[in-house]
Amino acid sequence: MTWVLSMTYLWLKAGHIIFVIFWMAGLFMLPRYFVYHQEAPEGSPENAVWLDREGKLLKIILWPSLVVVWVLGLTLAYVTGAFAQGWFHAKLALVLALSAYHVWLAGYHAALQRGERRLTGRRLRLLNEVPGLAAVLIVILVVLRPF
């Protein structure tokens, strides 16, 4: 029985890591798509291509990955008793912030669909650093468990 539980834990952990990678890749790609999109003239065929790419990235990679990351992550937290540990609370706060960033990116895509270009390419390039900084902090929390 212990073997089955330990193997289940390892599969949950592997799945969680795989889908975190997918999610993070999408979070890095989407703002870069926005930069290129905004360089395309409004109403042009290239503009339509970028809208399609952004929509597919959200629909096929980002949203499903977000759901799986949350389901597997919360399952792992329950199985390991992480809810009682301080490092997990900090990680959870960062993942909540990344999830909010994800929702904001989806909203920016919707704004681009309406023809609204609210941010400059420079600002979008800076926003592209958000998932990287969050990933650094999350990995440190998970590996070192400083508190």
Side-chain angles (χ1 to χ4, degrees):
M1 182 65 169
T2 305
W3 181 83
V4 171
L5 290 175
S6 66
M7 287 306 297
T8 302
Y9 165 76
L10 292 176
W11 279 106
L12 289 171
K13 189 175 181 180
H16 183 64
I17 292 168
I18 290 165
F19 280 91
V20 164
I21 291 168
F22 293 162
W23 186 40
M24 294 301 292
L27 291 177
F28 281 119
M29 287 175 65
L30 193 55
R32 180 55 60 180
Y33 278 12
F34 292 160
V35 170
Y36 298 140
H37 181 168
Q38 291 191 164
E39 292 173 353
E42 285 190 57
S44 69
E46 185 181 358
N47 186 68
V49 168
W50 283 112
L51 285 171
D52 183 56
R53 287 176 182 158
E54 294 157 8
K56 285 180 180 174
L57 181 61
L58 280 160
K59 183 179 178 182
I60 297 169
I61 296 174
L62 279 164
W63 287 117
S65 295
L66 174 70
V67 170
V68 175
V69 162
W70 272 98
V71 169
L72 294 178
L74 291 174
T75 302
L76 281 167
Y78 175 76
V79 167
T80 63
F83 286 107
Q85 301 173 28
W87 68 268
F88 179 76
H89 297 157
K91 176 193 174 187
L92 186 60
L94 287 166
V95 175
L96 280 167
L98 266 181
S99 298
Y101 175 73
H102 174 139
V103 171
W104 182 86
L105 289 173
Y108 195 75
H109 168 69
L112 288 172
Q113 285 180 311
R114 294 187 303 269
E116 300 171 19
R117 298 177 182 215
R118 298 179 283 197
L119 298 176
T120 63
R122 176 177 163 75
R123 183 153 292 168
L124 287 167
R125 284 179 178 91
L126 288 172
L127 283 171
N128 200 33
E129 303 306 319
V130 168
L133 294 172
V136 166
L137 295 172
I138 290 169
V139 168
I140 289 169
L141 287 167
V142 171
V143 173
L144 300 180
R145 297 182 183 194
F147 46 87

